[in-house]
Amino acid sequence: MAKIKEGLLPNLWDLLVSVGATCSALLVPLELIPTLLKPVSAGSLEWFITTLYIADVVVRLYRLDRKAPGRRPGDRLAAYWRGGMLIDVVAALPVHLLFGPSPWQLLRLLKLVRVAQLMHAWRQRRVQRSNVLRLAFFVYWLLLSVHWITCGWISLRDAAVGVDAGTRYLQALYWCVTTMTTVGYGDVTPVDNAQTLYSIWVMILGVGVYGYVIGNVATILGNIDPARATYLRQMERLSAFMHYRRLPMLLQGRIRDYYGYLWEKRLVYDESDILRDLPSSLRTEVTLYLKRDFIESVPLFQGAGDAFIRDVALEMKPVVFMPGDAIIRAGERGREMFFISRGAVEVRAPNGRTVYDTLTEGDFFGEIALVLGRPRSADVYAVDYCDLYRLDKAMFDRTLAHYPDIAAQIQQRAQERQRRDPT
Ligand code: CMP
């Protein structure tokens, strides 16, 4: 709880300061057009913003103290200075009170640097929605720019008699939007050189913005569901390959079914490939999380300690078999054993007719060849789609050397099964 508070409060404060900076950015151009806004109407908001900015200077100093407690006040100031204290102090000057509505108010806009910094920090933290955030932040800057361009247009045009401030703003906004979106109805046209130059500039700006938005929206749509995109890419490559090599239709159908199953069970990503890049502590945590249900379903693991479960979970690799697949063939050399996470397998005698047993979730097989060092004793077939975990021989030997109790249980099971087999 304390941790959440620690992260939440600074965030809320930064958000509040950003709201203040946004209000400034909206208010300043309005105040600079003398005929548009009566200075009194913005007075209390100006006071609020000044107070907020002064408080922000104090908060930032306090935060530096929290980050490195015990620092001397001089060092703290020096650190803040390097971190942009000048911007905060200048933006906090009560310019409204000192100079009235004047270009000095533009100093307030320095605080937008903090908004940009906050946006940058958010994008760094929320990587998975980074593109959406980028577009949202872009829209923010775009709206501010539209407001400024609208105010610029108002300042260049003479006010028509009897038109109130709201209508003037709305008409200028209409001109700005039609020009920036390159719609340009032509019903509002420049009447002098300044307005013509201004219009040309806004048109050029509009074309750039348009391209940026279209490009970003396309990227965002492509990234909304990366897992689906990966799956579709895989399927397209596969279809092209199957068509190119003219695989039989039946085989093509089986391949499609296999990928369909991977998609349905959320196995499209190659886990080991992705986990490899993580530091070992995180890798263990993610692996245990992903395999928790399975580990809990294996009776062999019930009494085993945490250390064993961690070791074995890290070594087991997921594999999928389709209905009817031969997982093990009698007489082959044993290189691995399997644990069943989902599905069922049939253990059949080498003659292929007698079914020794049907094993389901939580069972394991393929241990006899590893424990007794003999060829495979039976055939094992997948009855339906099977999600298995494979433990190869080297890992099996290494892991069990450290856990003699578990090794004894597996050995005992191998001998029981072998005794049951008539061959
Ligand atoms: P392995 O001999 O390595 O390969 C075939 C596997 O089938 C074997 O290990 C056992 O895990 C499993 N198996 C063999 N006989 C039986 C049985 N009677 N009941 C259950 N499983 C068996």
Side-chain angles (χ1 to χ4, degrees), residues 55 142 183 273 344 383:
L142 182 66
V183 172
D273 204 38
V383 176

Side-chain angles (χ1 to χ4, degrees), residues 200-221:
I200 293 173
W201 175 71
V202 175
M203 281 175 211
I204 294 172
L205 195 75
V207 173
V209 168
Y210 205 62
Y212 184 89
V213 171
I214 299 285
N216 267 278
V217 169
T219 315
I220 287 170
L221 290 181

